[in-house]
Amino acid sequence: MKLGRLNHVGVATPSIERSLDMYRTLYGVEPSSPPFDLPAQGVRVCFVDAPNSQVELIEPLGPDSPVAKFLEKNPQGGQHHVCFEVHDIAEARAHFEGAGVRILGATRIGAHGTPIFFLHPKDTGGVLTELMESPRQAH
Amino acid sequence: MKLGRLNHVGVATPSIERSLDMYRTLYGVEPSSPPFDLPAQGVRVCFVDAPNSQVELIEPLGPDSPVAKFLEKNPQGGQHHVCFEVHDIAEARAHFEGAGVRILGATRIGAHGTPIFFLHPKDTGGVLTELMESPRQAH
């Protein structure tokens, strides 16, 4: 296992629209595509591009969303997770399981259409960490 | 003002050494250079490279460190800030001041040897944000 690209920083927000206004006004950037729902994960997301990486804006789809609890503690929003790419998600999962790191749920398809899973922040220095298989065209 | 590279994600830690052990074991990466002190900022830092960006590990130099308060709330550590590059730090500062964003202190020299300043998280969707002038060789 070797750390791949920092694909994105996940930022929770009570309103993607208001966050996009901020990114337009303060940083001069538009989203790379319109916001879209990930119902299986209980979130609506939207990506904003920096030249080398992305910010993923994450809004809860409802009160049961995993992001809703984060926003209760941080009503304004804030840094929610980081996402690193890996070459092979199954290999990565076996590696982290072998290292005794707790994995949050099953491997599933993430916002970029490739398999992902999350590591428990208590096993990663307090940083909720997503591992994402690199999109094929990136190889 | 146009958002530049995501230079790094700043991660607070009670112990850079223990964090480096974790990055070695879990992610197979070594620091890009040894940890070093930034006494003016009250922190000790160390950078770990992903292929396209970096993680900045930040340990308080003492109880008065700005990171010490963060660690009181998050004893394990966690995501502390994000840092985006800008072409011209003075131009960026004027832009954010003009937009009414609160800036935390003076422009000063940061961990990469170029001028930086921080934006107040209450004006940036809860994300403590560092702006850093791109190193010359990056242009």
Side-chain angles (χ1 to χ4, degrees), chain A residues 5-136:
Chain A
R5 294 180 69 252
L6 177 60
N7 184 274
H8 62 263
V9 175
V11 171
T13 172
S15 164
I16 284 179
E17 288 309 321
R18 283 212 305 276
S19 290
L20 288 179
D21 281 348
M22 187 199 85
Y23 278 89
R24 280 186 196 104
T25 309
L26 294 188
Y27 298 124
V29 286
E30 291 290 330
S32 56
S33 57
F36 57 98
D37 293 353
L38 288 175
Q41 324 231 16
V43 294
R44 183 170 177 77
V45 302
C46 188
F47 286 92
V48 172
D49 290 353
N52 63 327
S53 191
Q54 296 183 302
V55 174
E56 179 188 36
L57 299 169
I58 317 160
E59 180 185 314
L61 273 182
D64 296 334
S65 169
V67 181
K69 193 174 281 182
F70 181 93
L71 288 172
E72 273 172 36
K73 289 185 200 160
N74 309 275
Q76 256 217 317
Q79 291 182 79
H80 180 264
H81 69 270
V82 295
C83 174
F84 292 106
E85 294 183 18
V86 295
H87 180 70
D88 180 318
I89 200 78
E91 183 186 77
R93 189 166 179 119
H95 164 75
F96 287 107
E97 282 175 347
V101 176
R102 281 165 285 183
I103 297 179
L104 299 167
T107 301
R108 51 201 184 274
I109 298 300
H112 284 306
T114 69
I116 63 110
F117 60 82
F118 282 86
L119 304 179
H120 197 299
K122 289 204 171 158
D123 291 338
T124 54
V127 177
L128 178 60
T129 303
E130 178 180 1
L131 283 306
M132 157 188 163
E133 192 165 279
S134 300
R136 287 281 169 85

Side-chain angles (χ1 to χ4, degrees), chain A residues 1-6 22 26-29 50-52 76-82 95 101 121-122 124-126 129, chain B residues 1-6 22 26-29 50-52 76-82 95-96 101 121-122 124-126 129:
Chain A
M1 242 298 296
K2 175 85 175 136
L3 198 65
R5 294 180 69 252
L6 177 60
M22 187 199 85
L26 294 188
Y27 298 124
V29 286
N52 63 327
Q76 256 217 317
Q79 291 182 79
H80 180 264
H81 69 270
V82 295
H95 164 75
V101 176
K122 289 204 171 158
T124 54
T129 303
Chain B
M1 243 299 296
K2 174 87 174 134
L3 198 65
R5 292 180 70 254
L6 176 61
M22 186 199 85
L26 294 188
Y27 299 123
V29 286
N52 63 326
Q76 257 217 315
Q79 291 182 79
H80 180 264
H81 69 271
V82 295
H95 163 76
F96 287 108
V101 176
K122 290 204 171 158
T124 55
T129 303

Side-chain angles (χ1 to χ4, degrees), chain B:
Chain B
M1 243 299 296
K2 174 87 174 134
L3 198 65
R5 292 180 70 254
L6 176 61
N7 184 275
H8 62 264
V9 175
V11 171
T13 172
S15 163
I16 284 178
E17 289 309 321
R18 283 211 306 276
S19 290
L20 288 179
D21 282 347
M22 186 199 85
Y23 278 89
R24 281 186 195 105
T25 309
L26 294 188
Y27 299 123
V29 286
E30 291 290 330
S32 55
S33 57
F36 57 98
D37 293 355
L38 287 175
Q41 323 231 17
V43 294
R44 182 169 177 79
V45 302
C46 188
F47 286 92
V48 171
D49 290 353
N52 63 326
S53 191
Q54 295 182 303
V55 173
E56 179 188 36
L57 298 169
I58 317 160
E59 180 185 316
L61 272 181
D64 296 333
S65 168
V67 182
K69 193 174 283 183
F70 180 94
L71 288 173
E72 273 172 35
K73 289 185 200 161
N74 309 276
Q76 257 217 315
Q79 291 182 79
H80 180 264
H81 69 271
V82 295
C83 175
F84 293 106
E85 294 183 18
V86 294
H87 180 70
D88 180 317
I89 199 80
E91 184 186 75
R93 189 166 178 120
H95 163 76
F96 287 108
E97 282 174 348
V101 176
R102 280 164 286 184
I103 297 179
L104 299 166
T107 300
R108 51 201 183 274
I109 298 299
H112 284 306
T114 68
I116 61 113
F117 60 82
F118 282 88
L119 304 179
H120 197 299
K122 290 204 171 158
D123 291 337
T124 55
V127 177
L128 178 61
T129 303
E130 178 180 2
L131 283 306
M132 157 188 162
E133 192 165 279
S134 300
R136 286 282 169 85
Q137 64 266 31
H139 289 308

